[in-house]
Protein backbone atom coordinates (compact mmCIF):
# COMPACT_ATOMS: atom_id res chain seq x y z
CA UNK A 1 0.00 0.00 0.00
CA UNK A 2 1.24 3.47 -0.85
CA UNK A 3 1.27 4.69 2.71
CA UNK A 4 3.56 7.61 1.86
CA UNK A 5 0.99 8.99 -0.54
CA UNK A 6 -1.80 8.63 2.01
CA UNK A 7 0.24 10.30 4.75
CA UNK A 8 0.73 13.23 2.38
CA UNK A 9 -3.04 13.63 2.07
CA UNK A 10 -3.50 13.97 5.82
CA UNK A 11 -3.08 16.97 8.04
CA UNK A 12 -1.56 15.90 11.32
CA UNK A 13 -1.71 18.49 14.10
CA UNK A 14 1.25 20.23 15.73
CA UNK A 15 1.78 17.24 18.00
CA UNK A 16 1.93 15.00 14.93
CA UNK A 17 -1.47 13.43 15.66
CA UNK A 18 -4.70 12.92 13.74
CA UNK A 19 -8.00 11.99 15.42
CA UNK A 20 -9.80 8.83 14.34
CA UNK A 21 -13.44 8.03 15.00
CA UNK A 22 -13.83 4.32 15.66
CA UNK A 23 -17.19 2.85 14.62
CA UNK A 24 -18.37 -0.73 15.02
CA UNK A 25 -18.94 -2.03 11.48
CA UNK A 26 -21.88 -4.24 12.39
CA UNK A 27 -23.93 -2.24 14.88
CA UNK A 28 -22.75 1.13 13.51
CA UNK A 29 -22.27 2.33 17.06
CA UNK A 30 -19.52 4.87 17.60
CA UNK A 31 -17.07 3.26 20.01
CA UNK A 32 -14.44 5.87 20.75
CA UNK A 33 -12.28 8.70 19.47
CA UNK A 34 -8.55 8.10 19.45
CA UNK A 35 -5.38 9.70 18.17
CA UNK A 36 -2.78 8.30 15.81
CA UNK A 37 0.62 9.55 14.76
CA UNK A 38 2.17 8.57 11.43
CA UNK A 39 3.76 5.49 12.92
CA UNK A 40 0.50 4.33 14.52
CA UNK A 41 -1.39 4.78 11.25
CA UNK A 42 1.28 2.96 9.26
CA UNK A 43 1.23 0.02 11.63
CA UNK A 44 -2.59 -0.01 11.86
CA UNK A 45 -2.85 -0.31 8.08
CA UNK A 46 -0.07 -2.88 7.84
CA UNK A 47 -1.59 -5.17 10.46
CA UNK A 48 -5.29 -4.36 10.03
CA UNK A 49 -5.66 -3.62 13.74
CA UNK A 50 -5.98 -0.24 15.42
CA UNK A 51 -2.83 1.13 17.00
CA UNK A 52 -2.93 4.49 18.76
CA UNK A 53 -0.34 6.87 20.08
CA UNK A 54 -0.83 7.14 23.81
CA UNK A 55 0.29 10.61 24.76
CA UNK A 56 0.41 9.97 28.50
CA UNK A 57 2.93 7.17 27.97
CA UNK A 58 4.54 8.59 24.83
CA UNK A 59 4.36 5.26 23.03
CA UNK A 60 2.55 3.26 20.37
CA UNK A 61 -0.16 1.00 21.75
CA UNK A 62 -2.29 -1.72 20.17
CA UNK A 63 -5.89 -1.01 21.16
CA UNK A 64 -6.77 -3.94 23.40
CA UNK A 65 -3.19 -5.02 24.06
CA UNK A 66 -3.95 -5.73 27.74
CA UNK A 67 -7.58 -6.81 27.50
CA UNK A 68 -7.39 -8.63 24.18
CA UNK A 69 -10.27 -6.47 23.00
CA UNK A 70 -8.68 -5.58 19.69
CA UNK A 71 -10.29 -3.72 16.81
CA UNK A 72 -9.92 -5.31 13.37
CA UNK A 73 -10.09 -2.68 10.66
CA UNK A 74 -12.72 -3.23 7.96
CA UNK A 75 -12.82 0.20 6.29
CA UNK A 76 -10.81 3.40 6.50
CA UNK A 77 -12.32 6.74 5.50
CA UNK A 78 -10.71 10.17 5.30
CA UNK A 79 -12.67 13.37 5.84
CA UNK A 80 -13.02 16.11 3.24
CA UNK A 81 -10.14 18.12 4.66
CA UNK A 82 -7.79 15.29 5.58
CA UNK A 83 -7.98 16.30 9.23
CA UNK A 84 -9.60 13.19 10.68
CA UNK A 85 -10.15 9.51 9.98
CA UNK A 86 -13.05 7.11 10.36
CA UNK A 87 -12.31 3.43 10.98
CA UNK A 88 -15.07 0.85 10.70
CA UNK A 89 -13.93 -2.05 12.83
CA UNK A 90 -14.87 -5.46 14.12
CA UNK A 91 -14.70 -4.93 17.87
CA UNK A 92 -13.69 -7.81 20.09
CA UNK A 93 -15.82 -7.91 23.28
CA UNK A 94 -15.95 -4.17 24.02
CA UNK A 95 -14.27 -0.91 23.14
CA UNK A 96 -14.21 0.90 26.48
CA UNK A 97 -11.81 0.27 29.35
CA UNK A 98 -14.71 0.96 31.75
CA UNK A 99 -16.33 -2.30 30.63
CA UNK A 100 -18.91 -0.98 28.17
CA UNK A 101 -19.18 -1.71 24.47
CA UNK A 102 -18.85 2.00 23.61
CA UNK A 103 -17.01 4.76 25.45
CA UNK A 104 -20.17 6.84 24.89
CA UNK A 105 -22.22 4.79 27.38
CA UNK A 106 -23.38 7.91 29.23
CA UNK A 107 -26.22 9.92 27.75
CA UNK A 108 -27.31 13.41 28.68
CA UNK A 109 -30.78 13.16 30.21
CA UNK A 110 -33.62 15.66 30.31
CA UNK A 111 -32.56 16.84 33.77
CA UNK A 112 -29.08 17.66 32.61
CA UNK A 113 -27.41 14.69 34.27
CA UNK A 114 -25.51 11.86 32.63
CA UNK A 115 -27.34 8.55 32.64
CA UNK A 116 -25.84 5.11 32.03
CA UNK A 117 -28.31 3.19 29.92
CA UNK A 118 -26.40 0.08 29.10
CA UNK A 119 -24.93 -2.92 30.85
CA UNK A 120 -21.31 -3.60 31.39
CA UNK A 121 -19.95 -6.23 29.04
CA UNK A 122 -16.96 -7.11 31.24
CA UNK A 123 -15.56 -6.35 34.66
CA UNK A 124 -12.57 -3.99 34.37
CA UNK A 125 -11.10 -5.14 37.69
CA UNK A 126 -10.89 -8.69 36.40
CA UNK A 127 -9.42 -7.68 33.03
CA UNK A 128 -6.93 -4.98 34.04
CA UNK A 129 -4.99 -6.29 37.04
CA UNK B 1 -30.74 22.18 32.18
CA UNK B 2 -27.81 22.24 34.58
CA UNK B 3 -25.25 23.19 31.99
CA UNK B 4 -22.76 24.31 34.61
CA UNK B 5 -22.69 20.82 36.09
CA UNK B 6 -22.21 19.24 32.67
CA UNK B 7 -19.41 21.63 31.74
CA UNK B 8 -17.67 20.59 34.94
CA UNK B 9 -17.73 16.95 33.83
CA UNK B 10 -15.93 17.72 30.58
CA UNK B 11 -12.26 18.16 29.88
CA UNK B 12 -11.78 20.93 27.35
CA UNK B 13 -8.31 21.13 25.81
CA UNK B 14 -5.83 23.97 26.22
CA UNK B 15 -7.59 25.92 23.50
CA UNK B 16 -10.87 25.54 25.39
CA UNK B 17 -12.28 23.07 22.86
CA UNK B 18 -13.77 19.59 23.01
CA UNK B 19 -14.22 17.37 19.93
CA UNK B 20 -17.68 16.12 19.03
CA UNK B 21 -18.44 13.20 16.72
CA UNK B 22 -21.59 13.95 14.73
CA UNK B 23 -23.62 10.88 13.75
CA UNK B 24 -26.82 10.78 11.72
CA UNK B 25 -29.48 9.36 14.05
CA UNK B 26 -31.35 7.50 11.33
CA UNK B 27 -28.69 6.03 9.06
CA UNK B 28 -26.09 5.85 11.86
CA UNK B 29 -23.51 7.20 9.43
CA UNK B 30 -20.77 9.31 10.96
CA UNK B 31 -21.04 12.74 9.37
CA UNK B 32 -18.16 14.77 10.70
CA UNK B 33 -15.92 15.63 13.63
CA UNK B 34 -16.17 19.16 14.95
CA UNK B 35 -14.96 21.23 17.88
CA UNK B 36 -16.99 23.13 20.45
CA UNK B 37 -15.98 25.56 23.14
CA UNK B 38 -18.11 26.07 26.28
CA UNK B 39 -20.18 28.76 24.60
CA UNK B 40 -20.85 26.61 21.52
CA UNK B 41 -21.93 23.67 23.68
CA UNK B 42 -24.17 25.85 25.83
CA UNK B 43 -25.89 27.29 22.79
CA UNK B 44 -26.14 23.91 21.04
CA UNK B 45 -27.95 22.44 24.04
CA UNK B 46 -30.16 25.49 24.50
CA UNK B 47 -31.32 25.54 20.86
CA UNK B 48 -31.07 21.84 20.02
CA UNK B 49 -28.91 22.61 16.98
CA UNK B 50 -25.19 22.08 16.57
CA UNK B 51 -23.02 25.18 16.97
CA UNK B 52 -19.27 24.90 16.60
CA UNK B 53 -16.36 27.15 17.34
CA UNK B 54 -14.63 27.90 14.07
CA UNK B 55 -10.98 28.42 14.90
CA UNK B 56 -10.05 29.95 11.56
CA UNK B 57 -12.60 32.72 12.08
CA UNK B 58 -12.45 32.78 15.89
CA UNK B 59 -16.23 32.79 16.20
CA UNK B 60 -19.29 30.72 17.03
CA UNK B 61 -21.02 29.24 13.99
CA UNK B 62 -24.29 27.42 13.52
CA UNK B 63 -23.55 24.30 11.48
CA UNK B 64 -25.38 24.96 8.23
CA UNK B 65 -25.80 28.71 8.73
CA UNK B 66 -25.01 29.42 5.07
CA UNK B 67 -26.39 26.29 3.43
CA UNK B 68 -29.39 25.76 5.71
CA UNK B 69 -28.14 22.20 6.27
CA UNK B 70 -28.52 22.33 10.02
CA UNK B 71 -28.14 19.46 12.47
CA UNK B 72 -30.96 18.97 14.98
CA UNK B 73 -29.68 17.29 18.12
CA UNK B 74 -31.48 14.08 19.15
CA UNK B 75 -29.06 12.64 21.68
CA UNK B 76 -25.89 13.80 23.42
CA UNK B 77 -23.39 11.29 24.79
CA UNK B 78 -20.21 11.89 26.77
CA UNK B 79 -17.25 9.53 26.64
CA UNK B 80 -15.83 7.67 29.63
CA UNK B 81 -13.17 10.31 30.28
CA UNK B 82 -15.18 13.43 29.48
CA UNK B 83 -12.80 14.26 26.65
CA UNK B 84 -15.19 14.02 23.71
CA UNK B 85 -18.88 14.15 22.82
CA UNK B 86 -21.13 12.19 20.49
CA UNK B 87 -24.16 13.94 19.01
CA UNK B 88 -26.86 11.95 17.26
CA UNK B 89 -28.53 14.38 14.92
CA UNK B 90 -31.18 14.76 12.29
CA UNK B 91 -29.18 16.07 9.35
CA UNK B 92 -30.82 18.43 6.89
CA UNK B 93 -29.80 17.59 3.29
CA UNK B 94 -26.10 16.86 3.88
CA UNK B 95 -23.35 17.33 6.43
CA UNK B 96 -20.34 18.09 4.23
CA UNK B 97 -19.56 21.40 2.56
CA UNK B 98 -18.20 19.43 -0.41
CA UNK B 99 -21.74 18.33 -1.22
CA UNK B 100 -21.75 14.84 0.24
CA UNK B 101 -23.93 13.49 3.05
CA UNK B 102 -20.87 12.64 5.16
CA UNK B 103 -17.47 14.29 5.30
CA UNK B 104 -16.07 10.75 5.20
CA UNK B 105 -17.09 10.22 1.57
CA UNK B 106 -13.60 9.05 0.60
CA UNK B 107 -12.59 5.50 1.37
CA UNK B 108 -9.15 4.00 1.33
CA UNK B 109 -9.02 1.42 -1.45
CA UNK B 110 -6.94 -1.71 -1.83
CA UNK B 111 -4.38 0.14 -3.96
CA UNK B 112 -3.81 2.73 -1.27
CA UNK B 113 -5.71 5.50 -3.01
CA UNK B 114 -8.80 7.35 -1.82
CA UNK B 115 -11.96 6.44 -3.70
CA UNK B 116 -15.21 8.40 -3.75
CA UNK B 117 -18.01 5.88 -3.60
CA UNK B 118 -21.04 8.09 -3.20
CA UNK B 119 -22.94 10.71 -5.12
CA UNK B 120 -23.03 14.37 -4.35
CA UNK B 121 -26.26 15.42 -2.70
CA UNK B 122 -25.92 19.08 -3.64
CA UNK B 123 -23.72 21.36 -5.73
CA UNK B 124 -21.45 23.42 -3.44
CA UNK B 125 -21.03 26.16 -6.05
CA UNK B 126 -24.75 26.77 -6.07
CA UNK B 127 -25.09 26.71 -2.28
CA UNK B 128 -22.01 28.70 -1.19
CA UNK B 129 -21.79 31.76 -3.37
Amino acid sequence: MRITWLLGQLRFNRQGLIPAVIQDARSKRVLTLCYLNRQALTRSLAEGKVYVFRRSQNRLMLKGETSGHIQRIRQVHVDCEGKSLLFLVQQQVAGCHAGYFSCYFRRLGARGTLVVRERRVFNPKAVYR
Side-chain angles (χ1 to χ4, degrees), chain A residues 11-18 35-39 53:
Chain A
R11 294 160 72 179
F12 291 82
N13 70 15
R14 290 176 187 178
Q15 298 163 306
L17 301 174
I18 190 167
Y35 296 84
L36 286 74
N37 60 6
R38 289 173 178 81
Q39 191 188 358
F53 184 74

Side-chain angles (χ1 to χ4, degrees), chain A residues 20-24 27-33 86 101-105 118:
Chain A
V21 178
I22 311 292
Q23 183 178 29
D24 181 58
S27 67
K28 306 300 184 202
R29 288 195 59 193
V30 176
L31 299 173
T32 191
L33 179 68
L86 169 66
F101 188 64
S102 163
C103 288
Y104 300 99
F105 61 88
E118 51 183 293

Side-chain angles (χ1 to χ4, degrees), chain A residues 47-90:
Chain A
E47 298 189 16
K49 295 179 281 194
V50 177
Y51 281 81
V52 299
F53 184 74
R54 179 152 284 187
R55 287 172 288 185
S56 60
Q57 298 177 15
N58 196 41
R59 70 176 181 94
L60 216 63
M61 192 194 78
L62 172 68
K63 283 281 285 179
E65 68 176 12
T66 302
S67 61
H69 305 163
I70 63 169
Q71 299 172 330
R72 293 190 186 281
I73 300 170
R74 296 303 179 219
Q75 291 181 25
V76 177
H77 296 256
V78 176
D79 82 11
C80 51
E81 296 185 324
K83 285 184 177 175
S84 67
L85 303 168
L86 169 66
F87 287 174
L88 273 77
V89 305
Q90 181 187 338

